[in-house]
Amino acid sequence: MPSLKYAGIRAMFEALWLSRLPGLIRALSSSRGVIFTLHRVLPDAPAEFAPNAILQVRPDFLDYCITRLRALGLDIVSMDEAVIRMASTDDHERQFVVFTFDDAYKDNLQYALPVLRRQNSPFTLYVPTALVDGTGEVWWQSIEDIIGRENAITVDGERFDTSTTTLKQGAYNVLYWRMRQMPEMDRVSLMRRFADEHRYDLDQQCGDLIMDWDQLQQFADEPLCTIGAHTVHHYELAKLPVEQARSEMAQSADILEAKFGHRPAHISYPIGGPASAGPREFELARELGFRTGVTTRPGGIYAQHSQTPQALPRISLNGLFQKRRYIDVFATGTIFSTLGRITG
């Protein structure tokens, strides 16, 4: 169960913090740095039923992260600088951190950007272009929204009792993973039917959550920001035929170049786990000229990643672990690389 998994991770974080091991591990490790994954930045506490709360952190937590990482002696750098440092032969170069944000949520503009500017912190924003057009689907949040407001839901004739938080969470888990396991076009069709049945406007929700092009222009004009590609429709690329996957990646870069005058050199694979992006997608990214591609596979960045820069790991700044003492653990890439080998 997810709650047991997160309880185990929390216990591990507490033990590592109490042991003071992260600092020693960083000092002895050959890790060059870490790339952080973020999505949403919101000041309010999530609702009682909020399975996507893992995707949001508070502005004050982000602010403290930056301050603490610098106090630990880490440099906060752009993706372009990270590429240089991966390949550096200077063994005494300081370790680095890259902040990356996926999906172009509006709250990044309202709450994250002021923090990043005040802290003079470089960052990368990965943009799914159809969502910015207002025609894509933030489907993982749509499921939460529908279940959260209903005491019962129906999915293609199958009824779920959602009258309690526990039942809501159970229904969410079933429906989320059912959609994850479907071909993408089947998932899109199911999500549309589910939304229609419950009078939920997917297009309005997308417009409410995701920046439009005028708002995104502020990031394109921001010297601290690197705009990266995140495909067109935010589909799991590994589930698509190869030509469709290639098109999703190439067209997103084409659109961003047309909008902002610069072709993105970096891409984030939607969802980004092993079932969503693998060697085929990494090779496509290389063929299409992306300097880097980031996954959500956990781990630190090492010199050898300069040989496979289209398959970089990231560490999620998870909304369920917003204790300041955990930042020392998050900053220690070797811990996550080890966990990834154990669990993967």
Side-chain angles (χ1 to χ4, degrees):
M1 293 177 63
S3 58
L4 293 177
K5 170 186 173 182
Y6 294 133
I9 295 172
R10 194 170 289 108
M12 181 195 71
F13 277 22
E14 291 287 350
L16 285 166
W17 178 77
L18 287 168
S19 71
R20 299 294 190 267
L21 276 174
L24 178 62
I25 293 170
R26 282 195 306 279
L28 298 177
S29 170
S30 60
S31 173
R32 298 290 175 89
V34 297
I35 303 173
F36 285 136
T37 310
L38 298 100
H39 290 82
R40 308 195 66 182
V41 179
L42 292 165
D44 300 327
E48 184 179 3
F49 170 68
N52 289 295
I54 60 173
L55 300 181
Q56 68 183 67
V57 299
R58 298 183 309 274
D60 66 293
F61 182 73
L62 174 61
D63 190 55
Y64 183 79
C65 280
I66 297 169
T67 299
R68 178 59 180 166
L69 291 166
R70 286 176 170 153
L72 292 172
L74 282 73
D75 292 335
I76 299 172
V77 304
S78 68
M79 281 300 301
D80 288 329
E81 176 65 18
V83 172
I84 295 170
R85 294 200 184 195
M86 274 184 248
S88 174
T89 57
D90 182 359
D91 292 334
H92 300 290
E93 190 151 43
R94 283 156 58 104
Q95 293 181 1
F96 66 83
V97 171
V98 183
F99 283 95
T100 68
F101 296 79
D102 286 6
D103 301 339
Y105 286 99
K106 282 183 178 177
D107 50 67
N108 291 180
L109 176 60
Q110 184 174 3
Y111 296 111
L113 187 57
V115 172
L116 295 161
R117 282 174 169 166
R118 185 171 62 253
Q119 288 275 16
N120 195 33
S121 174
F123 65 98
T124 297
L125 180 71
Y126 293 109
V127 178
T129 56
L131 273 63
V132 180
D133 286 334
T135 60
E137 296 173 355
V138 192
W139 62 270
W140 52 96
Q141 185 63 49
S142 301
I143 301 173
E144 177 183 318
D145 292 350
I146 294 169
I147 292 174
R149 73 185 191 186
E150 302 287 347
N151 287 323
I153 60 167
T154 302
V155 184
D156 281 353
E158 182 179 2
R159 186 181 185 278
F160 293 85
D161 182 353
T162 56
S163 58
T164 69
T165 299
T166 299
L167 290 170
K168 289 179 188 297
Q169 186 63 60
Y172 181 90
N173 291 341
V174 169
L175 190 52
Y176 174 84
W177 286 108
R178 183 178 297 177
M179 291 194 182
R180 283 288 309 277
Q181 291 160 7
M182 287 180 168
E184 288 291 71
M185 297 305 101
D186 291 346
R187 179 194 56 73
V188 170
S189 296
L190 176 57
M191 188 67 239
R192 287 283 169 181
R193 292 195 303 274
F194 180 50
D196 289 346
E197 175 125 12
H198 296 87
R199 303 170 304 284
Y200 184 87
D201 190 331
L202 290 169
D203 293 336
Q204 179 179 330
Q205 181 245 21
C206 185
D208 289 344
L209 286 180
I210 305 300
M211 284 185 274
D212 62 27
W213 290 108
D214 288 340
Q215 292 168 321
L216 196 57
Q217 184 68 52
Q218 296 182 57
F219 285 84
D221 293 339
E222 172 55 57
L224 293 168
C225 180
T226 299
I227 296 288
H230 199 33
T231 75
V232 177
H233 294 97
H234 202 278
Y235 294 153
E236 292 183 75
L237 294 170
K239 292 161 64 175
L240 302 177
V242 62
E243 287 308 317
Q244 187 179 4
R246 185 193 304 273
S247 177
E248 280 283 324
M249 299 164 75
Q251 283 190 29
S252 65
D254 292 343
I255 292 166
L256 291 168
E257 182 178 23
K259 291 288 186 180
F260 302 130
H262 301 285
R263 191 168 187 83
H266 309 282
I267 190 167
S268 169
Y269 308 107
I271 299 184
S276 306
R280 187 192 72 169
E281 288 67 47
F282 306 154
E283 179 60 20
L284 286 174
R286 188 192 66 78
E287 291 174 2
L288 290 168
F290 291 106
R291 293 184 71 194
T292 70
V294 293
T295 70
T296 56
R297 304 179 191 201
I301 301 298
Y302 297 83
Q304 58 263 34
H305 283 113
S306 64
Q307 304 303 310
T308 57
Q310 292 81 22
L312 299 178
R314 289 189 292 177
I315 295 169
S316 174
L317 283 183
N318 190 304
L320 301 185
F321 301 95
Q322 293 187 75
K323 291 188 177 180
R324 292 185 171 191
R325 59 181 177 268
Y326 293 167
I327 295 172
D328 291 38
V329 181
F330 281 123
T332 312
T334 299
I335 292 173
F336 292 87
S337 297
T338 302
L339 284 175
R341 287 192 293 270
I342 293 171
T343 61

